[in-house]
Coordinates of all heavy atoms in Angstrom, one line a residue:
M320 N 114.7 69.7 89.9 CA 113.3 69.8 89.9 C 112.7 68.8 90.9 O 113.2 67.7 91.1 CB 112.8 69.5 88.4 CG 111.4 69.7 88.2 SD 110.9 71.4 88.3 CE 109.2 71.3 88.2
A321 N 111.6 69.2 91.5 CA 111.0 68.4 92.5 C 110.3 67.1 91.8 O 109.9 67.2 90.7 CB 109.9 69.2 93.2
N322 N 110.3 66.0 92.6 CA 109.7 64.8 92.1 C 108.3 64.5 92.7 O 107.5 63.8 92.1 CB 110.6 63.6 92.3 CG 111.9 63.8 91.4 OD1 111.8 64.2 90.3 ND2 113.0 63.4 92.0
H323 N 108.1 65.0 93.9 CA 106.9 64.6 94.6 C 105.8 65.5 94.2 O 105.9 66.7 93.8 CB 107.1 64.8 96.1 CG 108.0 63.7 96.7 ND1 107.6 62.4 96.9 CD2 109.3 63.8 97.0 CE1 108.7 61.8 97.4 NE2 109.7 62.6 97.5
K324 N 104.6 65.0 94.2 CA 103.4 65.7 93.7 C 103.2 66.9 94.6 O 102.9 68.0 94.1 CB 102.2 64.8 93.8 CG 101.1 65.0 92.8 CD 100.1 63.9 92.9 CE 99.0 64.2 92.0 NZ 97.8 63.3 92.1
S325 N 103.3 66.7 95.9 CA 103.1 67.9 96.9 C 104.2 69.0 96.7 O 103.8 70.2 96.8 CB 103.2 67.4 98.3 OG 104.4 66.8 98.6
A326 N 105.4 68.6 96.3 CA 106.5 69.6 96.1 C 106.2 70.4 94.8 O 106.4 71.6 94.8 CB 107.8 68.9 96.0
L327 N 105.7 69.7 93.8 CA 105.3 70.4 92.6 C 104.2 71.4 92.9 O 104.2 72.5 92.3 CB 104.9 69.4 91.5 CG 106.0 68.5 91.0 CD1 105.4 67.4 90.1 CD2 107.0 69.3 90.2
K328 N 103.2 71.0 93.6 CA 102.1 71.9 94.0 C 102.6 73.1 94.8 O 102.2 74.2 94.6 CB 101.0 71.1 94.8 CG 99.8 71.9 95.1 CD 98.8 71.1 95.9 CE 97.6 72.0 96.3 NZ 96.6 71.3 97.0
R329 N 103.5 72.8 95.7 CA 104.0 73.9 96.5 C 104.8 74.9 95.7 O 104.7 76.1 95.9 CB 105.0 73.3 97.6 CG 105.6 74.3 98.5 CD 104.6 75.2 99.3 NE 103.9 74.4 100.2 CZ 102.9 74.8 100.9 NH1 102.4 76.1 100.8 NH2 102.3 74.1 101.8
I330 N 105.5 74.5 94.7 CA 106.2 75.4 93.7 C 105.2 76.2 93.0 O 105.4 77.4 92.9 CB 107.1 74.5 92.7 CG1 108.2 73.9 93.5 CG2 107.5 75.4 91.6 CD1 109.0 72.9 92.7
R331 N 104.1 75.6 92.5 CA 103.1 76.4 91.8 C 102.4 77.4 92.8 O 102.3 78.6 92.4 CB 102.0 75.5 91.3 CG 102.4 74.6 90.1 CD 101.2 74.0 89.4 NE 100.3 73.3 90.3 CZ 100.4 72.0 90.6 NH1 101.3 71.2 90.1 NH2 99.5 71.4 91.4
Q332 N 102.1 77.0 94.0 CA 101.5 77.9 94.9 C 102.5 79.1 95.3 O 102.0 80.2 95.3 CB 101.2 77.2 96.2 CG 100.0 76.3 96.1 CD 99.8 75.5 97.4 OE1 100.7 75.3 98.2 NE2 98.5 75.0 97.6
S333 N 103.7 78.8 95.5 CA 104.6 79.8 95.9 C 104.9 80.8 94.8 O 105.0 82.0 95.0 CB 106.0 79.2 96.4 OG 106.6 78.5 95.4
E334 N 104.9 80.4 93.6 CA 105.0 81.3 92.4 C 103.8 82.2 92.3 O 104.0 83.4 92.1 CB 105.2 80.5 91.1 CG 105.4 81.3 89.9 CD 106.6 82.2 89.9 OE1 107.5 82.0 90.7 OE2 106.7 83.1 89.1
K335 N 102.6 81.7 92.5 CA 101.4 82.5 92.5 C 101.5 83.6 93.6 O 101.1 84.7 93.4 CB 100.2 81.7 92.6 CG 99.7 81.0 91.4 CD 98.4 80.3 91.6 CE 98.0 79.5 90.5 NZ 96.7 78.7 90.7
K336 N 101.8 83.1 94.8 CA 101.9 84.0 95.9 C 103.0 85.1 95.7 O 102.8 86.3 96.0 CB 102.2 83.3 97.2 CG 101.0 82.5 97.7 CD 101.4 81.8 99.0 CE 100.3 80.9 99.5 NZ 100.6 80.2 100.7
R337 N 104.1 84.7 95.1 CA 105.2 85.7 94.8 C 104.7 86.8 93.9 O 104.9 87.9 94.2 CB 106.4 84.9 94.3 CG 107.6 85.8 94.0 CD 108.7 85.1 93.4 NE 108.5 84.8 92.0 CZ 108.7 85.7 91.0 NH1 109.1 86.9 91.3 NH2 108.4 85.4 89.7
L338 N 104.0 86.4 92.8 CA 103.6 87.3 91.9 C 102.5 88.3 92.5 O 102.5 89.5 92.2 CB 103.0 86.7 90.6 CG 104.1 85.9 89.8 CD1 103.4 85.1 88.7 CD2 105.1 86.9 89.3
R339 N 101.6 87.7 93.3 CA 100.6 88.5 93.9 C 101.2 89.5 94.9 O 100.8 90.7 94.9 CB 99.6 87.6 94.6 CG 98.3 88.3 95.1 CD 97.3 87.3 95.8 NE 97.0 86.2 94.9 CZ 97.1 84.9 95.3 NH1 97.6 84.6 96.5 NH2 96.8 83.9 94.5
N340 N 102.1 89.0 95.7 CA 102.8 89.9 96.7 C 103.5 91.0 96.0 O 103.6 92.1 96.4 CB 103.7 89.1 97.6 CG 103.0 88.2 98.6 OD1 101.8 88.4 98.8 ND2 103.7 87.2 99.1
R341 N 104.2 90.6 94.9 CA 104.9 91.6 94.1 C 104.0 92.7 93.6 O 104.3 93.9 93.6 CB 105.6 90.9 93.0 CG 106.6 91.7 92.1 CD 107.3 90.8 91.2 NE 107.9 91.5 90.1 CZ 108.2 91.0 89.0 NH1 108.0 89.7 88.7 NH2 108.7 91.7 88.0
Y342 N 102.8 92.3 93.1 CA 101.8 93.3 92.6 C 101.4 94.2 93.7 O 101.4 95.4 93.5 CB 100.7 92.5 92.0 CG 99.5 93.4 91.7 CD1 99.5 94.3 90.6 CD2 98.4 93.5 92.6 CE1 98.4 95.1 90.3 CE2 97.3 94.3 92.3 CZ 97.3 95.1 91.2 OH 96.3 95.9 90.9
Y343 N 101.0 93.6 94.9 CA 100.6 94.5 96.0 C 101.7 95.5 96.4 O 101.4 96.6 96.7 CB 100.2 93.6 97.2 CG 98.9 92.9 97.0 CD1 98.8 91.6 97.5 CD2 97.8 93.5 96.4 CE1 97.6 90.9 97.3 CE2 96.6 92.8 96.3 CZ 96.5 91.5 96.7 OH 95.3 90.8 96.6
H344 N 102.9 95.0 96.5 CA 104.0 95.8 96.9 C 104.3 96.9 96.0 O 104.5 98.1 96.4 CB 105.3 94.9 97.1 CG 106.3 95.5 98.0 ND1 106.2 95.5 99.4 CD2 107.4 96.2 97.7 CE1 107.3 96.1 99.9 NE2 108.0 96.6 98.9
K345 N 104.2 96.6 94.7 CA 104.5 97.7 93.7 C 103.3 98.7 93.7 O 103.6 99.9 93.5 CB 104.6 97.0 92.3 CG 104.8 97.9 91.1 CD 106.1 98.6 91.3 CE 106.4 99.5 90.1 NZ 107.5 100.4 90.2
T346 N 102.1 98.2 93.8 CA 101.0 99.1 93.9 C 101.1 100.1 95.1 O 100.9 101.3 95.0 CB 99.7 98.3 94.1 OG1 99.6 97.4 93.0 CG2 98.5 99.2 94.0
A347 N 101.6 99.5 96.2 CA 101.8 100.4 97.4 C 102.8 101.4 97.2 O 102.7 102.6 97.6 CB 102.1 99.5 98.6
R348 N 103.9 101.0 96.5 CA 105.0 102.0 96.3 C 104.5 103.1 95.4 O 104.9 104.3 95.6 CB 106.2 101.3 95.6 CG 107.0 100.5 96.6 CD 108.4 100.1 96.1 NE 108.3 99.5 94.8 CZ 108.5 98.2 94.6 NH1 108.8 97.4 95.6 NH2 108.5 97.7 93.4
T349 N 103.7 102.8 94.4 CA 103.2 103.8 93.5 C 102.3 104.7 94.2 O 102.4 106.0 94.0 CB 102.4 103.1 92.3 OG1 103.3 102.2 91.7 CG2 101.9 104.1 91.3
V350 N 101.4 104.2 95.1 CA 100.5 105.1 95.8 C 101.3 106.0 96.8 O 100.9 107.2 96.9 CB 99.5 104.2 96.6 CG1 98.7 105.0 97.5 CG2 98.6 103.5 95.6
L351 N 102.3 105.5 97.4 CA 103.1 106.2 98.3 C 103.8 107.4 97.5 O 103.9 108.5 98.0 CB 104.2 105.4 99.0 CG 103.7 104.4 100.0 CD1 104.8 103.5 100.4 CD2 103.1 105.1 101.2
K352 N 104.3 107.1 96.4 CA 105.0 108.1 95.5 C 104.0 109.2 95.2 O 104.3 110.4 95.2 CB 105.6 107.5 94.3 CG 106.4 108.4 93.5 CD 106.8 107.9 92.1 CE 107.7 106.7 92.2 NZ 108.2 106.3 90.8
V353 N 102.8 108.8 94.8 CA 101.8 109.8 94.4 C 101.5 110.7 95.6 O 101.4 112.0 95.4 CB 100.5 109.1 93.9 CG1 99.4 110.1 93.8 CG2 100.8 108.4 92.6
L354 N 101.3 110.1 96.8 CA 101.0 111.0 97.9 C 102.2 111.9 98.3 O 102.0 113.0 98.7 CB 100.6 110.1 99.1 CG 100.2 110.8 100.4 CD1 99.0 111.7 100.2 CD2 99.9 109.8 101.5
R355 N 103.4 111.4 98.2 CA 104.6 112.2 98.6 C 104.7 113.4 97.6 O 105.1 114.4 98.0 CB 105.8 111.4 98.5 CG 106.0 110.5 99.7 CD 107.4 109.8 99.7 NE 107.5 108.9 100.8 CZ 107.7 107.6 100.5 NH1 107.8 107.1 99.3 NH2 107.7 106.7 101.5
N356 N 104.3 113.2 96.3 CA 104.4 114.3 95.3 C 103.3 115.2 95.3 O 103.3 116.2 94.6 CB 104.7 113.7 93.9 CG 106.0 113.0 93.8 OD1 106.9 113.3 94.5 ND2 106.1 112.0 93.0
E357 N 102.2 114.9 96.1 CA 101.0 115.8 96.2 C 101.4 117.1 96.8 O 102.0 117.2 97.8 CB 100.0 115.1 97.0 CG 98.6 115.8 96.9 CD 98.0 115.8 95.6 OE1 97.9 114.8 94.9 OE2 97.7 116.9 95.1
E358 N 101.0 118.2 96.1 CA 101.2 119.6 96.6 C 100.0 120.2 97.3 O 100.1 121.0 98.2 CB 101.6 120.5 95.5 CG 102.9 120.1 94.8 CD 104.1 120.2 95.7 OE1 104.1 121.1 96.5 OE2 105.0 119.4 95.5
D359 N 98.8 119.7 96.9 CA 97.6 120.2 97.5 C 97.2 119.5 98.8 O 97.1 118.3 98.9 CB 96.5 120.1 96.5 CG 95.1 120.7 97.0 OD1 95.2 121.7 97.7 OD2 94.1 120.2 96.6
K360 N 97.1 120.3 99.9 CA 96.8 119.7 101.2 C 95.5 119.0 101.3 O 95.3 118.0 101.8 CB 96.9 120.8 102.3 CG 96.7 120.2 103.7 CD 97.0 121.1 104.8 CE 96.9 120.5 106.1 NZ 97.8 121.0 107.1
A361 N 94.5 119.6 100.6 CA 93.1 119.0 100.6 C 93.1 117.6 99.9 O 92.6 116.6 100.5 CB 92.1 119.9 100.0
A362 N 93.8 117.5 98.8 CA 93.8 116.3 98.1 C 94.7 115.3 98.9 O 94.3 114.1 98.9 CB 94.4 116.5 96.7
A363 N 95.7 115.7 99.5 CA 96.6 114.8 100.2 C 95.8 114.3 101.5 O 96.0 113.1 101.9 CB 97.9 115.5 100.7
A364 N 95.0 115.2 102.1 CA 94.3 114.7 103.3 C 93.2 113.7 102.9 O 92.9 112.8 103.7 CB 93.6 116.0 103.9
I365 N 92.7 113.8 101.7 CA 91.7 112.8 101.2 C 92.4 111.4 100.9 O 91.9 110.4 101.3 CB 91.0 113.3 100.0 CG1 90.1 114.5 100.4 CG2 90.2 112.2 99.4 CD1 89.5 115.2 99.2
Q366 N 93.6 111.5 100.4 CA 94.4 110.3 100.0 C 95.0 109.6 101.2 O 95.1 108.4 101.2 CB 95.5 110.6 99.0 CG 95.1 111.0 97.7 CD 96.3 111.3 96.8 OE1 97.4 111.5 97.3 NE2 96.0 111.5 95.5
L367 N 95.3 110.3 102.3 CA 96.0 109.8 103.4 C 95.3 108.6 104.0 O 95.9 107.5 104.2 CB 96.4 110.8 104.4 CG 97.2 110.4 105.6 CD1 98.6 109.9 105.2 CD2 97.3 111.5 106.7
P368 N 94.0 108.7 104.4 CA 93.4 107.5 105.0 C 93.4 106.3 104.1 O 93.5 105.1 104.6 CB 92.0 108.0 105.3 CG 92.0 109.4 105.2 CD 93.2 109.8 104.3
L369 N 93.3 106.5 102.8 CA 93.2 105.4 101.9 C 94.6 104.7 101.8 O 94.7 103.4 101.8 CB 92.9 105.9 100.5 CG 91.5 106.5 100.3 CD1 91.3 107.1 98.9 CD2 90.4 105.6 100.7
V370 N 95.7 105.5 101.9 CA 97.0 104.9 101.9 C 97.3 104.2 103.2 O 97.8 103.1 103.2 CB 98.1 106.0 101.6 CG1 99.5 105.5 101.8 CG2 97.9 106.6 100.3
I371 N 96.8 104.7 104.3 CA 97.0 104.1 105.6 C 96.3 102.8 105.6 O 96.8 101.8 106.1 CB 96.6 105.0 106.7 CG1 97.6 106.2 106.9 CG2 96.4 104.3 108.0 CD1 97.2 107.2 107.9
S372 N 95.1 102.8 105.1 CA 94.3 101.5 105.0 C 95.0 100.5 104.2 O 95.1 99.3 104.5 CB 92.9 101.8 104.4 OG 92.2 100.6 104.2
L373 N 95.6 100.9 103.0 CA 96.3 100.0 102.2 C 97.5 99.4 102.9 O 97.8 98.2 102.8 CB 96.8 100.7 100.9 CG 97.6 99.9 99.9 CD1 96.7 98.9 99.2 CD2 98.3 100.8 98.9
L374 N 98.2 100.2 103.6 CA 99.4 99.7 104.4 C 99.0 98.7 105.4 O 99.7 97.7 105.6 CB 100.2 100.9 105.0 CG 100.9 101.8 104.0 CD1 101.4 103.1 104.8 CD2 102.0 101.1 103.3
D375 N 97.9 99.0 106.1 CA 97.4 98.1 107.1 C 97.1 96.7 106.5 O 97.3 95.7 107.1 CB 96.2 98.6 107.9 CG 96.6 99.8 108.8 OD1 97.8 99.9 109.2 OD2 95.8 100.7 109.1
K376 N 96.5 96.7 105.3 CA 96.1 95.5 104.6 C 97.4 94.7 104.3 O 97.4 93.5 104.3 CB 95.3 95.8 103.4 CG 93.9 96.2 103.7 CD 93.1 96.6 102.4 CE 91.8 97.2 102.8 NZ 91.1 97.7 101.6
L377 N 98.4 95.4 103.9 CA 99.7 94.8 103.5 C 100.3 94.1 104.7 O 100.9 93.0 104.6 CB 100.6 95.8 102.8 CG 100.2 96.3 101.5 CD1 101.3 97.3 101.0 CD2 100.0 95.2 100.5
V378 N 100.2 94.8 105.9 CA 100.7 94.2 107.1 C 100.0 92.9 107.4 O 100.5 91.9 107.8 CB 100.6 95.2 108.2 CG1 100.9 94.6 109.6 CG2 101.6 96.3 108.0
K379 N 98.6 93.0 107.3 CA 97.8 91.9 107.6 C 98.1 90.7 106.7 O 98.1 89.5 107.1 CB 96.3 92.2 107.4 CG 95.3 91.2 107.9 CD 93.9 91.8 107.7 CE 92.9 90.7 108.2 NZ 91.6 91.2 108.0
K380 N 98.5 90.9 105.5 CA 98.9 89.9 104.5 C 100.4 89.5 104.6 O 100.9 88.7 103.8 CB 98.5 90.3 103.1 CG 97.1 90.4 102.9 CD 96.8 90.9 101.5 CE 95.4 91.2 101.3 NZ 95.1 91.7 99.9
N381 N 101.1 90.0 105.5 CA 102.5 89.8 105.7 C 103.4 90.1 104.5 O 104.4 89.5 104.2 CB 102.8 88.3 106.1 CG 102.4 88.0 107.5 OD1 102.5 88.9 108.4 ND2 101.9 86.9 107.8
I382 N 103.0 91.2 103.8 CA 103.8 91.6 102.7 C 104.8 92.6 103.1 O 105.9 92.6 102.7 CB 102.8 92.2 101.6 CG1 102.0 91.1 101.1 CG2 103.6 92.9 100.5 CD1 100.9 91.5 100.1
I383 N 104.4 93.5 104.1 CA 105.4 94.4 104.7 C 105.4 94.2 106.2 O 104.3 93.8 106.8 CB 105.2 95.9 104.3 CG1 103.9 96.4 104.8 CG2 105.5 96.1 102.9 CD1 103.7 97.9 104.6
H384 N 106.4 94.6 106.9 CA 106.5 94.4 108.3 C 105.7 95.5 109.0 O 105.5 96.6 108.5 CB 107.9 94.5 108.8 CG 108.1 94.0 110.2 ND1 108.0 94.8 111.3 CD2 108.4 92.8 110.7 CE1 108.3 94.2 112.4 NE2 108.5 92.9 112.1
K385 N 105.1 95.2 110.2 CA 104.2 96.2 110.9 C 105.0 97.5 111.3 O 104.4 98.6 111.2 CB 103.5 95.6 112.0 CG 104.5 95.2 113.2 CD 103.6 94.6 114.3 CE 104.6 94.2 115.5 NZ 103.8 93.7 116.6
N386 N 106.3 97.3 111.6 CA 107.0 98.5 112.0 C 107.3 99.4 110.8 O 107.3 100.6 110.9 CB 108.4 98.1 112.7 CG 108.1 97.5 114.0 OD1 107.0 97.6 114.6 ND2 109.1 96.9 114.6
K387 N 107.5 98.8 109.7 CA 107.8 99.6 108.5 C 106.5 100.3 108.1 O 106.6 101.5 107.7 CB 108.2 98.6 107.3 CG 108.4 99.4 106.0 CD 108.8 98.5 104.9 CE 109.0 99.2 103.6 NZ 110.1 100.1 103.5
A388 N 105.4 99.7 108.2 CA 104.1 100.4 107.9 C 103.9 101.5 108.9 O 103.4 102.6 108.5 CB 102.9 99.4 108.0
A389 N 104.2 101.3 110.2 CA 104.1 102.4 111.2 C 105.0 103.5 110.8 O 104.6 104.7 110.9 CB 104.4 101.8 112.6
N390 N 106.2 103.3 110.4 CA 107.1 104.3 110.0 C 106.6 105.1 108.8 O 106.7 106.3 108.8 CB 108.5 103.8 109.7 CG 109.2 103.3 111.0 OD1 109.0 103.8 112.1 ND2 110.2 102.4 110.8
L391 N 106.1 104.4 107.8 CA 105.6 105.0 106.6 C 104.4 105.9 107.0 O 104.3 107.0 106.5 CB 105.2 104.0 105.6 CG 106.4 103.3 104.9 CD1 105.9 102.1 104.0 CD2 107.2 104.2 104.0
K392 N 103.5 105.4 107.8 CA 102.3 106.1 108.1 C 102.7 107.4 108.9 O 102.1 108.5 108.6 CB 101.4 105.3 109.0 CG 100.7 104.1 108.2 CD 99.6 103.5 109.0 CE 100.1 102.5 110.0 NZ 99.1 101.7 110.6
S393 N 103.6 107.3 109.8 CA 104.1 108.4 110.5 C 104.7 109.5 109.6 O 104.3 110.7 109.7 CB 105.1 108.0 111.6 OG 105.6 109.1 112.2
K394 N 105.5 109.1 108.7 CA 106.2 110.1 107.8 C 105.2 110.7 106.9 O 105.3 111.9 106.6 CB 107.3 109.4 107.0 CG 108.5 109.0 107.9 CD 109.5 108.3 107.1 CE 110.7 107.9 108.0 NZ 111.6 107.0 107.3
L395 N 104.3 109.9 106.4 CA 103.2 110.5 105.5 C 102.3 111.4 106.2 O 101.9 112.5 105.6 CB 102.4 109.3 104.9 CG 103.2 108.5 103.8 CD1 102.3 107.3 103.4 CD2 103.5 109.3 102.6
T396 N 102.0 111.1 107.4 CA 101.1 112.0 108.2 C 101.8 113.3 108.5 O 101.2 114.4 108.3 CB 100.7 111.4 109.5 OG1 100.1 110.1 109.2 CG2 99.7 112.3 110.3
K397 N 103.1 113.3 108.8 CA 103.9 114.5 109.0 C 104.0 115.3 107.7 O 103.8 116.5 107.7 CB 105.4 114.2 109.4 CG 105.5 113.8 110.9 CD 107.0 113.6 111.1 CE 107.2 113.2 112.6 NZ 108.6 112.9 112.8
H398 N 104.2 114.6 106.6 CA 104.2 115.3 105.3 C 102.9 116.0 104.9 O 102.9 117.2 104.5 CB 104.6 114.3 104.2 CG 104.5 114.8 102.8 ND1 105.4 115.7 102.3 CD2 103.5 114.6 101.8 CE1 105.0 116.0 101.1 NE2 103.9 115.4 100.7
V399 N 101.8 115.3 105.2 CA 100.5 115.9 104.9 C 100.2 117.1 105.8 O 99.7 118.2 105.4 CB 99.4 114.9 105.0 CG1 98.0 115.6 104.9 CG2 99.5 113.9 103.9
N400 N 100.6 117.0 107.1 CA 100.4 118.1 108.0 C 101.3 119.3 107.7 O 100.9 120.4 108.0 CB 100.6 117.6 109.4 CG 99.5 116.7 109.9 OD1 98.4 116.7 109.4 ND2 99.9 115.9 110.9
K401 N 102.4 119.1 107.1 CA 103.3 120.1 106.8 C 102.9 120.9 105.6 O 103.4 122.0 105.4 CB 104.7 119.5 106.6 CG 105.9 120.5 106.6 CD 107.2 119.8 106.7 CE 107.5 119.1 105.4 NZ 108.9 118.5 105.3
L402 N 102.1 120.3 104.7 CA 101.7 121.0 103.5 C 100.9 122.3 103.8 O 100.2 122.3 104.8 CB 100.8 120.1 102.6 CG 101.5 118.9 102.0 CD1 100.5 118.1 101.2 CD2 102.6 119.4 101.0
A403 N 101.1 123.3 103.0 CA 100.5 124.6 103.3 C 99.1 124.7 102.6 O 98.8 124.1 101.6 CB 101.3 125.7 102.8

């Protein structure tokens, strides 16, 4: 266990950040799953910009890597365009 005041504070901060990042990441996975399982093209087209925006926010907060977000956005866009 840390002895310094600053080290104790850093432990508290990192735990809060870990939980927050975990929440954001889990939320993103859920939204991605919902969009992938969507059968209706109109509904998927409405959801796609919201999901892309969410991914961009996660990149900005360094929760996911920018290349991973780019790959996800590309695959999701292909999926939505492929729907009948």
Side-chain angles (χ1 to χ4, degrees):
M320 187 65 189
N322 293 321
H323 293 283
K324 213 173 175 185
S325 59
L327 293 170
K328 181 178 178 181
R329 179 59 67 186
I330 290 169
R331 290 194 306 269
Q332 287 176 335
S333 62
E334 180 63 15
K335 281 184 184 177
K336 286 180 185 178
R337 184 185 73 82
L338 293 174
R339 191 177 307 126
N340 289 343
R341 188 173 159 200
Y342 168 77
Y343 288 140
H344 200 81
K345 180 64 176 170
T346 304
R348 284 198 304 257
T349 304
V350 171
L351 290 171
K352 186 191 290 187
V353 168
L354 182 58
R355 283 190 188 117
N356 293 333
E357 186 65 53
E358 298 294 328
D359 183 31
K360 184 169 184 150
I365 292 170
Q366 288 178 350
L367 183 64
L369 301 173
V370 173
I371 288 175
S372 173
L373 179 73
L374 290 172
D375 289 336
K376 287 176 188 172
L377 293 178
V378 168
K379 189 176 179 183
K380 294 177 183 178
N381 287 325
I382 295 171
I383 61 173
H384 195 271
K385 64 179 183 175
N386 290 350
K387 179 178 177 71
N390 288 335
L391 288 171
K392 290 189 284 189
S393 173
K394 288 177 185 174
L395 289 172
T396 305
K397 281 183 182 178
H398 172 71
V399 170
N400 288 338
K401 193 169 68 172
L402 290 174

